[in-house]
């Protein structure tokens, strides 16, 4: 158990809908990272927050957004969902330094029908 | 550009050593990682190596880094059926905010 929790574990929804994925980092970790794992693209970095502020952006679509709250949990919002958004979404957390190791949560499997 | 490459499959017999290879293109990598993903599970950190090191050993795991050739390997000694999983190599670049660049993963199958 990495100490990072993600809910829900599975999510099934329809095209055009909007969903919210939630992540709670390890106790004491200030950084949260979101990654998408799909069969064709592999594991891709989406976005990073540090202590409530956006730090880095990767291959995140404009239809996707995220935020980190004062209690350090983070939410990833996916809207106008398309079939191609079906994937495993992972959250990872790390400590204060950017060199700190990232620990991954169990992931949320999103299926868009 | 940033790219991390791994072979997709590796099959070994139980008790043998497994060697999973990875190459990366960006010479500004600072840390290199190995993660393990079992079916239906998240990513478990196995080990990591700082870019100024050549080797790191941790119980059955040995990581070798050839910085000149930008080649990283993970050796698993006495491979067990429980080691069957997908192994991901990842790099963190100098100057980045810490996000990782992953390879596509190597699926290790261990035959009894």
């Amino acid at each position: 158990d990495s100490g990072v929790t993600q809910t829900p574990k599975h999510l099934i929804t329809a095209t055009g809908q909007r969903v919210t994925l939630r992540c709670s980092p390890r106790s004491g970790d200030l950084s949260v990272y979101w990654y998408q794992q799909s069969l064709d693209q592999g594991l891709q970095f989406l976005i990073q927050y540090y202590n409530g502020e956006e730090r880095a952006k990767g291959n995140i679509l404009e239809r996707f957004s995220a935020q980190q709250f004062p209690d350090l949990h983070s939410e990833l919002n996916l809207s106008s969902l398309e079939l191609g958004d079906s994937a495993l979404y992972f959250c990872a957390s790390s400590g204060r330094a950017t060199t700190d190791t990232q620990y991954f949560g169990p992931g949320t499997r999103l299926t868009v029908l | 550009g940033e790219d991390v490459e791994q072979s997709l499959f590796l099959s070994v017999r139980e008790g043998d050593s497994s060697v999973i290879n990875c190459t990366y293109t960006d010479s500004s990598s600072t840390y290199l990682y190995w993660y393990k993903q079992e079916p239906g599970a998240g990513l478990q950190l196995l080990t990591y190596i700082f870019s100024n090191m050549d080797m790191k050993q941790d119980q059955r795991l040995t990581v070798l880094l050839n910085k000149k050739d930008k080649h990283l390997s993970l050796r698993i000694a006495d491979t067990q059926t429980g080691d069957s999983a997908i192994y991901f190599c990842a790099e963190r670049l100098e100057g980045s905010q810490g996000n990782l660049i992953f390879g596509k993963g190597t699926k290790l199958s261990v035959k009894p």
Side-chain angles (χ1 to χ4, degrees):
Chain A
D1 185 355
S2 66
V4 179
T5 60
Q6 289 187 248
T7 56
K9 193 168 182 178
H10 300 279
L11 201 47
I12 301 174
T13 189
T15 54
Q17 295 298 305
R18 174 190 167 94
V19 296
T20 297
L21 312 184
R22 183 189 167 104
C23 166
S24 292
R26 292 188 320 153
S27 177
D29 282 357
L30 299 178
S31 273
V32 169
Y33 304 78
W34 286 97
Y35 291 85
Q36 179 194 57
Q37 185 180 34
S38 62
L39 279 173
D40 52 344
Q41 297 291 324
L43 262 162
Q44 298 230 311
F45 166 69
L46 295 178
I47 196 163
Q48 180 208 355
Y49 279 81
Y50 177 82
N51 203 20
E53 292 189 4
E54 183 186 303
R55 263 293 169 89
K57 252 185 177 177
N59 300 320
I60 188 166
L61 299 171
E62 284 191 13
R63 299 183 285 109
F64 296 0
S65 64
Q67 57 186 130
Q68 187 179 26
F69 294 86
D71 67 352
L72 300 176
H73 91 270
S74 177
E75 292 181 356
L76 179 67
N77 301 297
L78 315 175
S79 62
S80 302
L81 285 167
E82 301 175 0
L83 296 177
D85 297 327
S86 296
L88 255 175
Y89 290 85
F90 286 108
C91 165
S93 75
S94 70
R96 294 177 176 272
T98 56
T99 52
D100 283 355
T101 300
Q102 291 179 33
Y103 293 89
F104 281 73
T108 293
R109 181 170 291 283
L110 173 67
T111 302
V112 182
L113 300 174
Chain B
E2 308 152 359
D3 201 11
V4 178
E5 293 192 359
Q6 303 177 238
S7 51
L8 293 181
F9 302 99
L10 177 65
S11 181
V12 301
R13 293 227 169 262
E14 194 173 19
D16 288 350
S17 290
S18 308
V19 179
I20 302 170
N21 294 302
C22 169
T23 58
Y24 57 97
T25 55
D26 201 307
S27 57
S28 67
S29 296
T30 55
Y31 285 89
L32 294 137
Y33 300 84
W34 285 103
Y35 283 87
K36 176 183 179 183
Q37 185 178 31
E38 296 183 61
L43 292 161
Q44 174 195 351
L45 176 68
L46 286 179
T47 187
Y48 64 92
I49 189 167
F50 188 49
S51 59
N52 69 354
M53 297 169 64
D54 298 323
M55 186 182 93
K56 182 177 180 182
Q57 187 148 6
D58 185 0
Q59 299 181 330
R60 290 191 299 124
L61 305 178
T62 303
V63 178
L64 293 177
L65 175 60
N66 181 329
K67 200 169 180 184
K68 176 174 165 287
D69 294 339
K70 299 192 188 82
H71 182 266
L72 181 75
S73 67
L74 173 70
R75 179 177 179 268
I76 306 172
D78 187 25
T79 314
Q80 303 297 307
T81 53
D83 294 323
S84 293
I86 300 177
Y87 291 79
F88 291 92
C89 167
E91 64 173 345
R92 183 202 298 269
L93 301 180
E94 184 178 9
S96 75
Q97 289 300 325
N99 54 283
L100 301 178
I101 300 166
F102 283 88
K104 293 261 197 265
T106 299
K107 184 173 183 178
L108 174 65
S109 298
V110 182
K111 298 185 183 343

